[in-house]
């Protein structure tokens, strides 16, 4: 398996623009997580899905952020409109109940100017 | 309220010696504990986990110890190798070791040749 795939790897955009981050989890995994990593706040969970259903979105900072998982092999995290404080590395991870640990993608480095 | 704390931001050890990374938690309901390793420009990689019913789990050079009464866990790496130089994250989970986890801020380990 290729592991968790994220695209794009780098994104530079201007304030006010819409940003869409994409994730393909490992085939067969039933959990999918979106994280954000910053120097100030460390690695924080934004939202996670179980069997494509959002379970906990309490980490989503505000209404500008939304996430979807239309099927077991694809998820998106959208920021609209983007702001400079959204600049961070966004990780997607997947896991399988019964096996330990989450498998992380390489991350998307987002810069909002 | 930070439920998982790694109080040492960095640790430096000599190659061949033991590395001990520490982690404290506050929520007594945590049931699974995990360690991840992260290299620059990559996502975290699952390393080893331990269930709350155990006090020790070993995998090659890596051993995790859990002290539930003290709400403390530690990761021992013996012997340490330069390739172990990375950021190590401690994480804790409530109901499954594949589900939602709360991460510490990480400890940067440097192993000197």
């Amino acid at each position: 398996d290729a592991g968790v795939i994220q695209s794009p790897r780098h994104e530079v955009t201007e304030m006010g623009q819409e940003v869409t981050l994409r994730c393909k989890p490992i085939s067969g995994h039933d959990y999918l997580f979106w994280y954000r990593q910053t120097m100030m706040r460390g690695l924080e969970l934004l939202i996670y899905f179980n069997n494509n259903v959002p379970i906990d979105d309490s980490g989503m900072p505000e209404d500008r952020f939304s996430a979807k998982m239309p099927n077991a092999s694809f998820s998106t995290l959208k920021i609209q409109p983007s702001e400079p404080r959204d600049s961070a590395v966004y990780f997607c991870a997947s896991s399988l109940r019964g096996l330990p640990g989450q498998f992380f993608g390489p991350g998307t480095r987002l810069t909002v100017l | 309220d930070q439920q998982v704390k790694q109080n040492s931001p960095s640790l430096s050890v000599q190659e061949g010696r033991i590395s001990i990374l520490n982690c404290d938690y506050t929520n007594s309901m945590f049931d699974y504990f995990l360690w991840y390793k992260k290299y620059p420009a990559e996502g975290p990689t699952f390393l080893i986990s331990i269930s709350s019913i155990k006090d020790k789990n070993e995998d090659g050079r890596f051993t995790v110890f859990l002290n539930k009464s003290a709400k403390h866990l530690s990761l021992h790496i013996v012997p340490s190798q330069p390739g172990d130089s990375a950021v190590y994250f401690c994480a804790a989970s409530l109901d499954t070791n594949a589900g939602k986890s709360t991460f510490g801020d990480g400890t940067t380990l440097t192993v000197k040749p």
Side-chain angles (χ1 to χ4, degrees), chain A residues 56-75:
Chain A
D56 185 349
D57 65 354
S58 59
M60 296 286 262
E62 47 198 276
D63 292 345
R64 297 184 298 106
F65 285 69
S66 63
K68 293 182 179 179
M69 191 165 186
N71 56 63
S73 59
F74 184 66
S75 177

Side-chain angles (χ1 to χ4, degrees), chain A residues 3 10 17 38 45 57 84:
Chain A
H10 302 272
Q17 296 298 306
T38 61
L45 177 67
D57 65 354

